[in-house]
Amino acid sequence: MAEVGLLPFARIALRVSRAVLPRYRSRFSKHQFTQPQLLAILCLMRYEDWTFREAEVRLSEHRELRQALGLVSVPDFTTLYRFLERLDEATIDRAVGETVRQLRGMRKKGRWRARVAVDATGLAQGAVSTFFVRRMHHHGQKPLPWRHWLKWVVVVDLDQQFLLSQIARRGPWNDCANLPAVVEAASEQTRIGLVLADAEFDSERNHTYIRKQLGAHSVIPAKRGKKTWRIHGVRAEMRRAFPRRLYRRRSLIESLFSSVKRKLSARAPGRSLHTQKRQALLLGLSFNLYRLRHR
């Protein structure tokens, strides 16, 4: 369980959800549960790593939690699942943007351009431990039973340790071409002065986009290759005089990944890729809500 209690988290999740969603989807809705209530419950599920059935049981047992969410009755687990299926990425992005707006409103005066890092991590599709999978492979000498996982790419404010933008897709995948999209989404939330990324995102196009389109400084180590390879532009500058001291702060994004997986969840559960992607994006939103309440 995370450090912040359920009731404070539920209240702030409901407040953010109300800021980005209308009460009902249409005038023909049953009007039994509001959309902000259902989104707040999904965030609680990611916060506590509940399944849909566990969420229904916990809400039925926790009267104070129902009061914090303004629930008269407990939604069935199928109601939560259908709402997750209808939930689109744009709504989650707006909710993340609302948390960023509130988090940046708390920042102290000083640095006016954010220092950000871009990186990706893998999320498990289910609850089976990697130790169990490796042990089966060691004893049976058979191929691993799964080949794919969900890859979660995020842009993080290094000074305040919260997410600015995120995308999710099936891995393994080279995310070098995704850097302009996620950084552009982050630049809509705040002005960026420095972008740090590892060698996976190394390309002259990425350097050009960051420096010319955003007007920010980019630090990305050039990939190691053959001595006969000839590189030019910013990549040659990175190889010739790499700013190691400035690049050290990139490790803070690894600390954020560790915090998410230890305190919230390391999974993006779901049988379909669509559901897994929504679960990953909700995990990022829930972490920002956690940071917002932890301030």
Side-chain angles (χ1 to χ4, degrees):
M1 181 181 294
E3 299 166 3
V4 179
L6 283 178
L7 298 182
F9 183 89
R11 294 188 188 102
I12 196 165
L14 184 61
R15 186 183 75 196
V16 170
S17 300
R18 284 172 174 168
V20 299
L21 275 176
R23 286 179 58 84
Y24 302 106
R25 189 184 181 192
S26 71
R27 62 190 182 92
F28 301 105
S29 300
K30 288 185 178 181
H31 292 198
Q32 186 177 5
F33 310 107
T34 67
Q35 291 192 108
Q37 287 174 333
L38 296 176
L39 179 57
I41 294 173
L42 291 182
C43 292
L44 274 170
M45 290 173 54
R46 297 273 61 208
Y47 180 68
E48 288 291 310
D49 205 13
W50 289 339
T51 64
F52 291 100
R53 293 179 184 272
E54 285 175 342
E56 181 183 357
V57 173
R58 298 295 183 271
L59 287 171
S60 63
E61 294 175 343
H62 206 315
R63 180 173 57 86
E64 291 83 1
L65 187 57
R66 295 197 302 273
Q67 292 177 348
L69 293 170
L71 293 173
V72 178
S73 59
V74 178
D76 187 75
F77 71 94
T78 57
T79 301
L80 298 174
Y81 177 76
R82 287 195 296 267
F83 179 75
L84 177 63
E85 288 295 300
R86 294 197 307 268
L87 190 63
D88 57 356
E89 295 184 11
T91 301
I92 301 176
D93 290 342
R94 291 199 303 271
V96 171
E98 178 64 20
T99 60
V100 171
R101 185 187 66 80
Q102 296 186 25
L103 282 163
R104 293 191 65 82
M106 298 178 180
R107 72 179 300 175
K108 298 179 181 178
K109 294 182 179 180
R111 185 176 299 276
W112 62 283
R113 277 181 171 247
R115 295 182 289 188
V116 306
V118 187
D119 205 353
T121 188
L123 297 175
Q125 298 177 357
V128 178
S129 68
T130 55
F131 172 79
F132 176 75
V133 174
R134 293 193 186 102
R135 191 170 181 83
M136 286 182 59
H137 175 62
H138 176 73
H139 286 280
Q141 297 299 323
K142 296 180 180 179
L144 296 181
W146 44 264
R147 287 288 183 270
H148 300 282
W149 64 89
L150 198 76
K151 203 167 188 183
W152 186 36
V153 186
V154 301
V155 179
V156 172
D157 187 315
L158 296 177
D159 295 315
Q160 295 204 326
Q161 286 286 287
F162 58 79
L163 276 73
L164 294 173
S165 65
Q166 57 179 341
I167 59 173
R169 65 179 308 156
R170 175 170 286 176
W173 192 270
N174 187 348
D175 291 299
C176 182
N178 292 327
L179 183 140
V182 291
V183 173
E184 182 178 1
S187 67
E188 295 175 358
Q189 308 292 344
T190 182
R191 300 188 66 180
I192 297 176
L194 172 66
V195 178
L196 305 177
D198 61 13
E200 179 185 7
F201 300 92
D202 171 46
S203 73
E204 192 66 26
R205 187 185 70 169
N206 288 342
H207 282 290
T208 302
Y209 170 77
I210 294 170
R211 299 195 175 205
K212 293 187 177 181
Q213 298 294 327
L214 296 182
H217 186 55
S218 60
V219 178
I220 305 173
K223 294 179 182 177
R224 296 180 181 180
K226 298 180 181 179
K227 295 182 178 180
T228 56
W229 285 9
R230 296 181 180 180
I231 60 176
H232 306 280
V234 182
R235 297 183 68 224
E237 177 187 340
M238 291 288 112
R239 181 170 292 182
R240 183 176 59 254
F242 186 70
R244 297 184 181 277
R245 187 172 182 178
L246 192 61
Y247 186 70
R248 290 175 186 170
R249 294 192 63 84
R250 195 203 69 84
S251 62
L252 292 175
I253 194 172
E254 304 292 349
S255 299
L256 184 139
F257 284 145
S258 175
S259 179
V260 170
K261 293 182 178 181
R262 284 184 295 105
K263 297 179 179 179
L264 302 185
S265 176
R267 304 186 301 129
R271 294 191 177 185
S272 67
L273 180 61
H274 172 84
T275 303
Q276 293 169 9
K277 291 171 64 175
R278 296 299 182 274
Q279 294 277 28
L281 299 179
L282 284 171
L283 182 62
L285 171 59
S286 300
F287 180 77
N288 271 15
L289 293 171
Y290 165 78
R291 292 288 295 142
L292 186 58
R293 182 60 188 87
H294 203 59
R295 290 300 177 90

